[in-house]
Amino acid sequence: GSWARRCGYETAPILTPGNLYTDFTSSFDFVQVRDYAKSLGVLQWENEQKRMLFVSADGHEAVRDFIQRRRV
């Protein structure tokens, strides 16, 4: 297996710059942000079980703003 797998890291086939989001307090928050990123076409990878998703660099600003608007 790969070095990353041996060390317990999850690998994702991502060759594009972007941002990894991991600090979701609930599954509901994760799904809301994931679906928003999907609707923009900027979601590159997701792991619902671990509440992690990767958004391309061109979508980071929109997704970040969406998260900030929801926290108000």
Side-chain angles (χ1 to χ4, degrees):
S2 73
W3 175 85
R5 222 173 283 122
R6 285 196 310 272
C7 292
Y9 294 102
E10 176 137 353
T11 56
I14 296 168
L15 301 173
T16 181
N19 294 81
L20 181 66
Y21 293 83
T22 60
D23 296 327
F24 295 99
T25 55
S26 70
S27 292
F28 178 79
D29 288 341
F30 170 82
V31 168
Q32 293 292 305
V33 175
R34 181 202 60 198
D35 290 353
Y36 180 72
K38 255 188 204 177
S39 75
L40 297 178
V42 297
L43 180 68
Q44 300 292 309
W45 174 83
E46 65 176 285
N47 182 322
E48 189 165 359
Q49 196 172 17
K50 294 182 180 180
R51 294 186 199 150
M52 299 168 66
L53 55 87
F54 188 88
V55 171
S56 61
D58 59 339
H60 168 63
E61 202 170 311
V63 171
R64 184 196 62 208
D65 291 347
F66 177 78
I67 291 169
Q68 289 174 347
R69 283 196 310 270
R70 292 188 69 247
R71 287 186 177 154
V72 174

